[in-house]
Amino acid sequence: MAAHNELGKWGEDLAAGYLQRKGYTIVERDWKSGHRDIDIIASDENGTLVFIEVKTRRNRLFGDPEDAVDYRKLQSLRSAMNHYIKYHCIDAEVRLDIITVVGIMGEEPEIEHIIDVAL
């Protein structure tokens, strides 16, 4: 596996563990809709279905990880979310969150959870 793929997988694993410690239930990981994907789909304590985009970086030299979730990425996420909701006939509150992970394997990373990103 390429180094950037390993870093991304590590970040997603950390994000999933973080969510579970916060009381979320992981529903799916790496859900795909054609060429679009959703990193984590979880349910919070209120029954809200939460779609989570995870961004992992080694450092902040080239900006904050959440800056990579630009207009085009939001469009792609919106499309994938709509497909998931229709495919699974979801009738619940939904939202989009971003979790950023900054660090390297073997060290304690910074994890930030940005709740309810505007679509």
Side-chain angles (χ1 to χ4, degrees), residues 50-67:
V50 185
F51 297 89
I52 298 117
E53 175 68 11
V54 180
K55 289 295 177 191
T56 307
R57 300 289 184 270
R58 287 183 174 83
N59 54 53
R60 296 179 188 276
L61 289 176
F62 299 103
D64 294 324
E66 62 269 22
D67 293 342

PDB file of all heavy atoms in Angstrom, residues 50-67:
ATOM      1  N   VAL A  50     -24.846  10.663  10.591  1.00  0.00           N
ATOM      2  CA  VAL A  50     -23.742  11.593  10.380  1.00  0.00           C
ATOM      3  C   VAL A  50     -22.798  11.034   9.322  1.00  0.00           C
ATOM      4  O   VAL A  50     -22.294   9.919   9.461  1.00  0.00           O
ATOM      5  CB  VAL A  50     -22.976  11.853  11.691  1.00  0.00           C
ATOM      6  CG1 VAL A  50     -21.903  12.921  11.482  1.00  0.00           C
ATOM      7  CG2 VAL A  50     -23.927  12.250  12.812  1.00  0.00           C
ATOM      8  N   PHE A  51     -22.599  11.810   8.269  1.00  0.00           N
ATOM      9  CA  PHE A  51     -21.647  11.470   7.220  1.00  0.00           C
ATOM     10  C   PHE A  51     -20.348  12.196   7.554  1.00  0.00           C
ATOM     11  O   PHE A  51     -20.361  13.415   7.765  1.00  0.00           O
ATOM     12  CB  PHE A  51     -22.176  11.910   5.853  1.00  0.00           C
ATOM     13  CG  PHE A  51     -23.445  11.199   5.466  1.00  0.00           C
ATOM     14  CD1 PHE A  51     -24.686  11.709   5.830  1.00  0.00           C
ATOM     15  CD2 PHE A  51     -23.403  10.017   4.742  1.00  0.00           C
ATOM     16  CE1 PHE A  51     -25.855  11.067   5.475  1.00  0.00           C
ATOM     17  CE2 PHE A  51     -24.572   9.358   4.387  1.00  0.00           C
ATOM     18  CZ  PHE A  51     -25.808   9.878   4.751  1.00  0.00           C
ATOM     19  N   ILE A  52     -19.249  11.465   7.624  1.00  0.00           N
ATOM     20  CA  ILE A  52     -17.998  12.053   8.083  1.00  0.00           C
ATOM     21  C   ILE A  52     -16.922  11.933   7.007  1.00  0.00           C
ATOM     22  O   ILE A  52     -16.642  10.836   6.518  1.00  0.00           O
ATOM     23  CB  ILE A  52     -17.504  11.385   9.386  1.00  0.00           C
ATOM     24  CG1 ILE A  52     -18.527  11.608  10.508  1.00  0.00           C
ATOM     25  CG2 ILE A  52     -16.158  11.948   9.822  1.00  0.00           C
ATOM     26  CD1 ILE A  52     -19.135  10.366  11.022  1.00  0.00           C
ATOM     27  N   GLU A  53     -16.338  13.085   6.659  1.00  0.00           N
ATOM     28  CA  GLU A  53     -15.185  13.144   5.771  1.00  0.00           C
ATOM     29  C   GLU A  53     -13.956  13.270   6.660  1.00  0.00           C
ATOM     30  O   GLU A  53     -13.885  14.159   7.511  1.00  0.00           O
ATOM     31  CB  GLU A  53     -15.297  14.344   4.828  1.00  0.00           C
ATOM     32  CG  GLU A  53     -14.104  14.559   3.949  1.00  0.00           C
ATOM     33  CD  GLU A  53     -13.903  13.479   2.895  1.00  0.00           C
ATOM     34  OE1 GLU A  53     -14.803  12.636   2.675  1.00  0.00           O
ATOM     35  OE2 GLU A  53     -12.833  13.477   2.270  1.00  0.00           O
ATOM     36  N   VAL A  54     -13.000  12.362   6.477  1.00  0.00           N
ATOM     37  CA  VAL A  54     -11.780  12.372   7.282  1.00  0.00           C
ATOM     38  C   VAL A  54     -10.631  12.889   6.422  1.00  0.00           C
ATOM     39  O   VAL A  54     -10.423  12.409   5.308  1.00  0.00           O
ATOM     40  CB  VAL A  54     -11.446  10.962   7.816  1.00  0.00           C
ATOM     41  CG1 VAL A  54     -10.162  10.991   8.650  1.00  0.00           C
ATOM     42  CG2 VAL A  54     -12.602  10.390   8.626  1.00  0.00           C
ATOM     43  N   LYS A  55      -9.919  13.863   6.935  1.00  0.00           N
ATOM     44  CA  LYS A  55      -8.750  14.409   6.255  1.00  0.00           C
ATOM     45  C   LYS A  55      -7.542  14.228   7.165  1.00  0.00           C
ATOM     46  O   LYS A  55      -7.528  14.714   8.299  1.00  0.00           O
ATOM     47  CB  LYS A  55      -8.929  15.895   5.921  1.00  0.00           C
ATOM     48  CG  LYS A  55      -9.937  16.133   4.829  1.00  0.00           C
ATOM     49  CD  LYS A  55      -9.434  15.525   3.533  1.00  0.00           C
ATOM     50  CE  LYS A  55     -10.420  15.663   2.409  1.00  0.00           C
ATOM     51  NZ  LYS A  55     -10.054  14.871   1.253  1.00  0.00           N
ATOM     52  N   THR A  56      -6.532  13.522   6.674  1.00  0.00           N
ATOM     53  CA  THR A  56      -5.341  13.227   7.454  1.00  0.00           C
ATOM     54  C   THR A  56      -4.127  13.858   6.789  1.00  0.00           C
ATOM     55  O   THR A  56      -3.955  13.744   5.572  1.00  0.00           O
ATOM     56  CB  THR A  56      -5.134  11.703   7.562  1.00  0.00           C
ATOM     57  OG1 THR A  56      -6.329  11.100   8.053  1.00  0.00           O
ATOM     58  CG2 THR A  56      -3.978  11.368   8.491  1.00  0.00           C
ATOM     59  N   ARG A  57      -3.318  14.507   7.584  1.00  0.00           N
ATOM     60  CA  ARG A  57      -2.083  15.130   7.104  1.00  0.00           C
ATOM     61  C   ARG A  57      -0.975  14.872   8.112  1.00  0.00           C
ATOM     62  O   ARG A  57      -1.223  14.752   9.307  1.00  0.00           O
ATOM     63  CB  ARG A  57      -2.257  16.652   6.935  1.00  0.00           C
ATOM     64  CG  ARG A  57      -3.337  17.061   5.943  1.00  0.00           C
ATOM     65  CD  ARG A  57      -2.906  16.748   4.511  1.00  0.00           C
ATOM     66  NE  ARG A  57      -3.873  17.224   3.537  1.00  0.00           N
ATOM     67  CZ  ARG A  57      -4.911  16.540   3.071  1.00  0.00           C
ATOM     68  NH1 ARG A  57      -5.144  15.331   3.523  1.00  0.00           N
ATOM     69  NH2 ARG A  57      -5.711  17.051   2.149  1.00  0.00           N
ATOM     70  N   ARG A  58       0.246  14.826   7.626  1.00  0.00           N
ATOM     71  CA  ARG A  58       1.402  14.672   8.508  1.00  0.00           C
ATOM     72  C   ARG A  58       1.656  15.948   9.309  1.00  0.00           C
ATOM     73  O   ARG A  58       2.113  15.899  10.446  1.00  0.00           O
ATOM     74  CB  ARG A  58       2.645  14.331   7.698  1.00  0.00           C
ATOM     75  CG  ARG A  58       2.651  12.921   7.173  1.00  0.00           C
ATOM     76  CD  ARG A  58       3.948  12.616   6.434  1.00  0.00           C
ATOM     77  NE  ARG A  58       3.988  11.222   6.052  1.00  0.00           N
ATOM     78  CZ  ARG A  58       3.409  10.725   4.966  1.00  0.00           C
ATOM     79  NH1 ARG A  58       2.766  11.523   4.143  1.00  0.00           N
ATOM     80  NH2 ARG A  58       3.478   9.441   4.694  1.00  0.00           N
ATOM     81  N   ASN A  59       1.401  17.099   8.678  1.00  0.00           N
ATOM     82  CA  ASN A  59       1.643  18.388   9.322  1.00  0.00           C
ATOM     83  C   ASN A  59       0.777  19.441   8.642  1.00  0.00           C
ATOM     84  O   ASN A  59       0.005  19.128   7.742  1.00  0.00           O
ATOM     85  CB  ASN A  59       3.129  18.767   9.248  1.00  0.00           C
ATOM     86  CG  ASN A  59       3.643  18.743   7.827  1.00  0.00           C
ATOM     87  OD1 ASN A  59       3.073  19.378   6.933  1.00  0.00           O
ATOM     88  ND2 ASN A  59       4.726  18.009   7.599  1.00  0.00           N
ATOM     89  N   ARG A  60       0.921  20.669   9.057  1.00  0.00           N
ATOM     90  CA  ARG A  60       0.125  21.770   8.506  1.00  0.00           C
ATOM     91  C   ARG A  60       0.941  22.691   7.596  1.00  0.00           C
ATOM     92  O   ARG A  60       0.557  23.833   7.360  1.00  0.00           O
ATOM     93  CB  ARG A  60      -0.488  22.590   9.645  1.00  0.00           C
ATOM     94  CG  ARG A  60      -1.473  21.816  10.483  1.00  0.00           C
ATOM     95  CD  ARG A  60      -2.031  22.681  11.613  1.00  0.00           C
ATOM     96  NE  ARG A  60      -2.827  21.890  12.527  1.00  0.00           N
ATOM     97  CZ  ARG A  60      -4.120  21.594  12.348  1.00  0.00           C
ATOM     98  NH1 ARG A  60      -4.761  22.028  11.286  1.00  0.00           N
ATOM     99  NH2 ARG A  60      -4.766  20.866  13.237  1.00  0.00           N
ATOM    100  N   LEU A  61       2.061  22.196   7.071  1.00  0.00           N
ATOM    101  CA  LEU A  61       2.922  23.027   6.225  1.00  0.00           C
ATOM    102  C   LEU A  61       2.195  23.598   5.014  1.00  0.00           C
ATOM    103  O   LEU A  61       2.506  24.700   4.564  1.00  0.00           O
ATOM    104  CB  LEU A  61       4.144  22.233   5.748  1.00  0.00           C
ATOM    105  CG  LEU A  61       5.194  21.918   6.814  1.00  0.00           C
ATOM    106  CD1 LEU A  61       6.296  21.045   6.234  1.00  0.00           C
ATOM    107  CD2 LEU A  61       5.763  23.193   7.400  1.00  0.00           C
ATOM    108  N   PHE A  62       1.264  22.851   4.486  1.00  0.00           N
ATOM    109  CA  PHE A  62       0.545  23.293   3.280  1.00  0.00           C
ATOM    110  C   PHE A  62      -0.897  23.682   3.590  1.00  0.00           C
ATOM    111  O   PHE A  62      -1.752  23.652   2.712  1.00  0.00           O
ATOM    112  CB  PHE A  62       0.611  22.212   2.200  1.00  0.00           C
ATOM    113  CG  PHE A  62       2.020  21.904   1.782  1.00  0.00           C
ATOM    114  CD1 PHE A  62       2.661  20.760   2.228  1.00  0.00           C
ATOM    115  CD2 PHE A  62       2.717  22.780   0.964  1.00  0.00           C
ATOM    116  CE1 PHE A  62       3.965  20.489   1.857  1.00  0.00           C
ATOM    117  CE2 PHE A  62       4.024  22.521   0.586  1.00  0.00           C
ATOM    118  CZ  PHE A  62       4.658  21.373   1.034  1.00  0.00           C
ATOM    119  N   GLY A  63      -1.166  24.031   4.840  1.00  0.00           N
ATOM    120  CA  GLY A  63      -2.506  24.471   5.227  1.00  0.00           C
ATOM    121  C   GLY A  63      -3.196  23.456   6.122  1.00  0.00           C
ATOM    122  O   GLY A  63      -2.679  22.380   6.410  1.00  0.00           O
ATOM    123  N   ASP A  64      -4.374  23.847   6.567  1.00  0.00           N
ATOM    124  CA  ASP A  64      -5.171  22.975   7.427  1.00  0.00           C
ATOM    125  C   ASP A  64      -5.845  21.893   6.600  1.00  0.00           C
ATOM    126  O   ASP A  64      -6.285  22.148   5.472  1.00  0.00           O
ATOM    127  CB  ASP A  64      -6.227  23.800   8.162  1.00  0.00           C
ATOM    128  CG  ASP A  64      -5.604  24.773   9.153  1.00  0.00           C
ATOM    129  OD1 ASP A  64      -4.584  24.426   9.768  1.00  0.00           O
ATOM    130  OD2 ASP A  64      -6.150  25.879   9.311  1.00  0.00           O
ATOM    131  N   PRO A  65      -5.964  20.679   7.145  1.00  0.00           N
ATOM    132  CA  PRO A  65      -6.560  19.577   6.385  1.00  0.00           C
ATOM    133  C   PRO A  65      -7.976  19.865   5.903  1.00  0.00           C
ATOM    134  O   PRO A  65      -8.358  19.485   4.796  1.00  0.00           O
ATOM    135  CB  PRO A  65      -6.548  18.401   7.357  1.00  0.00           C
ATOM    136  CG  PRO A  65      -5.707  18.794   8.495  1.00  0.00           C
ATOM    137  CD  PRO A  65      -5.539  20.264   8.471  1.00  0.00           C
ATOM    138  N   GLU A  66      -8.769  20.570   6.720  1.00  0.00           N
ATOM    139  CA  GLU A  66     -10.158  20.843   6.342  1.00  0.00           C
ATOM    140  C   GLU A  66     -10.253  21.742   5.115  1.00  0.00           C
ATOM    141  O   GLU A  66     -11.284  21.767   4.437  1.00  0.00           O
ATOM    142  CB  GLU A  66     -10.954  21.426   7.512  1.00  0.00           C
ATOM    143  CG  GLU A  66     -10.457  22.740   8.030  1.00  0.00           C
ATOM    144  CD  GLU A  66      -9.436  22.645   9.142  1.00  0.00           C
ATOM    145  OE1 GLU A  66      -8.765  21.599   9.304  1.00  0.00           O
ATOM    146  OE2 GLU A  66      -9.292  23.651   9.858  1.00  0.00           O
ATOM    147  N   ASP A  67      -9.185  22.468   4.803  1.00  0.00           N
ATOM    148  CA  ASP A  67      -9.190  23.316   3.609  1.00  0.00           C
ATOM    149  C   ASP A  67      -9.298  22.497   2.324  1.00  0.00           C
ATOM    150  O   ASP A  67      -9.668  23.020   1.275  1.00  0.00           O
ATOM    151  CB  ASP A  67      -7.934  24.196   3.562  1.00  0.00           C
ATOM    152  CG  ASP A  67      -7.917  25.222   4.678  1.00  0.00           C
ATOM    153  OD1 ASP A  67      -8.990  25.490   5.276  1.00  0.00           O
ATOM    154  OD2 ASP A  67      -6.827  25.763   4.965  1.00  0.00           O
TER     155      ASP A  67
END
